[in-house]
Amino acid sequence: MKELSVAVLVPCAGSSSRLGLGLKKEYINVTPEQGDTVLYRALVPFFLASGCVIRCPRGEDKIFALVSVVVVIPPETGIPLDAVSKFSERERDKISFCAGGETRQKSVLNGLKYLCGVMPDVVLIHDGARPFVSKDLVIRVTENVVLYGASAPCTKVTDTVKAVGTDGFVSEHLKRDFLRAVQTPQGFLYKDIYEAHVKGDRQGFVATDDTELLELLGKKTFLCEGELGNIKITYPGDLDKLRERI
């Protein structure tokens, strides 16, 4: 069975100011054990997926082969080796760090450029502050990348959502049946998302996420089923939720 080379790109160049703890949320230890960090928890499912079978069209199934994990960090900080120290030496050999840019979009582009030396078939872009992601979701997104070229997990919107104008009044009543909350990991064919990011950078196009950039190439992203528990650590209470699940 042939391998599907997969890289994981993790933007971690933000300030984590909303958490209010004076420490980047990805590096916070969630248990007393050294290296048991938010970032470690966010990366484990990708290592667990390595070696799993990825269902492909026409029965041409492949093996999920994790070839590289690139963590994009603030350029002014040192390499956070303690944040990944719980991984085995063999696993740590696959983890690299590169400097981010002034925005998330530029940080992702830096990470994609870093991966030019690897040229994976698929790249999964995942928030380092999403430690609740599962191995099953990683595999599901990857399978849909193989099927459709790009995929992102999502959940249905349960609240009634309104568009608001600059005057503070409702400007549009949105139909929630057609609305989805998008999560990560978002998966792409590496060559496509790299080309899309380069094009967006040259045009000065500012996107809300990587799927929007892909549309610059005239390509669409398939939305697959996400997980309600796949939340992003944003506030101190979110860390408590993580500790409760351990």
Side-chain angles (χ1 to χ4, degrees), residues 205-239:
F205 180 80
V206 179
T208 55
D209 72 351
D210 302 292
T211 65
E212 186 177 0
L213 277 163
L214 188 68
E215 293 183 5
L216 293 177
L217 304 184
K219 299 187 177 185
K220 295 182 178 181
T221 301
F222 178 80
L223 295 183
C224 65
E225 183 180 355
E227 297 172 339
L228 290 175
N230 183 24
I231 66 170
K232 187 176 182 180
I233 300 294
T234 304
Y235 302 105
D238 298 330
L239 284 171

Side-chain angles (χ1 to χ4, degrees), residues 29-45:
N29 267 62
V30 295
T31 69
E33 186 176 353
Q34 178 65 31
D36 194 2
T37 60
V38 171
L39 178 61
Y40 168 78
R41 295 272 173 172
L43 292 181
V44 163

Side-chain angles (χ1 to χ4, degrees), residues 5 48 53 61 116-117 122 164 166 171 182 194 243:
S5 61
L48 293 176
V53 175
D61 295 349
C116 282
V122 170
V164 61
T166 56
S171 62
V182 178
Y194 178 63
R243 293 185 174 108

Side-chain angles (χ1 to χ4, degrees), residues 42-160:
L43 292 181
V44 163
F46 297 93
F47 284 95
L48 293 176
S50 190
C52 292
V53 175
I54 299 299
R55 294 172 298 174
C56 300
R58 299 177 298 278
E60 299 170 356
D61 295 349
K62 296 183 178 181
I63 298 295
F64 185 115
L66 182 61
V67 294
S68 180
V69 176
V70 176
V71 182
V72 188
I73 61 176
E76 68 276 6
T77 63
I79 296 176
L81 294 178
D82 287 347
V84 294
S85 62
K86 193 175 179 181
F87 286 110
S88 68
E89 183 177 351
R90 183 177 180 181
E91 291 168 333
R92 288 198 303 271
D93 285 343
K94 293 185 178 181
I95 302 175
S96 303
F97 298 87
C98 78
E102 57 190 25
T103 64
R104 182 189 183 279
Q105 187 170 321
K106 290 184 180 297
S107 292
V108 172
L109 177 56
N110 285 359
L112 291 170
K113 288 179 177 178
Y114 190 92
L115 282 169
C116 282
V118 179
M119 292 294 289
D121 299 318
V122 170
V123 60
L124 302 174
I125 302 175
H126 184 58
D127 297 323
R130 282 191 192 266
F132 298 98
V133 63
S134 71
K135 179 188 74 172
D136 289 345
L137 184 58
V138 170
I139 292 172
R140 183 158 62 246
V141 170
T142 305
E143 287 180 336
N144 282 294
V145 173
V146 174
L147 283 170
Y148 303 109
S151 181
C154 69
T155 58
K156 292 182 178 180
V157 175
T158 56
D159 293 328
T160 298

